[in-house]
Amino acid sequence: MSAETEARPLRATARRSGRWWKIEIPELDTSGQSPTVRDIPEIAAEIASECLAVAPDRVIVDTAIELPGDAEALWAAAAVQEEAGRAALTEAARLRRETIRALADQGLRQADIARLLRLTPQRINQLMTTEGNGCPTEAEAGTCPTEID
């Protein structure tokens, strides 16, 4: 490949092998090692450029890094649980809003509902006027009003 040609895209896979990460580039039938995850992309590009006898900036290596051991399965299971948890929280929020609206429909004032449910009047107002869970976005996590003691 000459320096004038476009950069060549390649695919590499890195997986844990002992204390090192083994980097394989099947298209070039070559491999190498990296001591850290951070260095894998750079080392993969160096391996490819040496094999092709071109400058490292003349290759583009898309590197997939496999999680070692059971980590990938555990991570996927955690994602499933998290989704189920979010669905449960959404349903809990719906039930809370339904409770508050039912109490309001019985003629209770928001201040009284707040006292009965141990929430702030502001939180009662939020729950009565929102369709979602009434909390800020994830970017504002930690700012959702909480129950009072």
Side-chain angles (χ1 to χ4, degrees):
M1 176 189 284
S2 69
E4 294 80 43
T5 62
E6 291 186 30
R8 178 176 177 184
L10 298 165
R11 177 117 173 106
T13 302
R15 57 183 62 82
R16 193 79 169 160
S17 179
R19 293 181 46 209
W20 291 78
W21 290 89
K22 183 176 183 182
I23 305 166
E24 296 177 329
I25 307 174
E27 284 181 77
L28 302 177
D29 194 30
T30 190
S31 64
Q33 293 181 328
S34 175
T36 67
V37 171
R38 181 191 63 205
D39 295 332
I40 291 172
E42 182 181 340
I43 292 173
E46 288 175 7
I47 294 166
S49 68
E50 287 179 25
C51 189
L52 295 170
V54 298
D57 65 347
R58 302 307 312 154
V59 294
I60 299 169
V61 183
D62 179 25
T63 307
I65 302 172
E66 296 179 1
L67 292 172
D70 293 337
E72 190 163 344
L74 290 169
W75 195 253
V80 168
Q81 291 297 314
E82 183 177 9
E83 183 59 33
R86 287 177 193 266
L89 286 173
T90 297
E91 177 60 10
R94 186 193 67 74
L95 292 170
R96 286 178 184 254
R97 288 189 311 276
E98 186 177 322
T99 301
I100 290 165
R101 288 182 182 134
L103 291 171
D105 288 347
Q106 293 177 27
L108 275 75
R109 298 176 323 127
Q110 286 187 17
D112 290 335
I113 295 170
R115 283 185 188 87
L116 288 170
L117 300 178
R118 301 179 58 109
L119 298 173
T120 65
Q122 295 84 356
R123 183 65 176 143
I124 295 298
N125 188 301
Q126 277 183 327
L127 290 169
M128 289 182 72
T129 59
T130 60
E131 289 303 317
N133 63 7
C135 291
T137 63
E138 284 187 29
E140 302 168 312
T143 63
C144 186
T146 58
E147 297 180 16
I148 59 175
D149 295 339

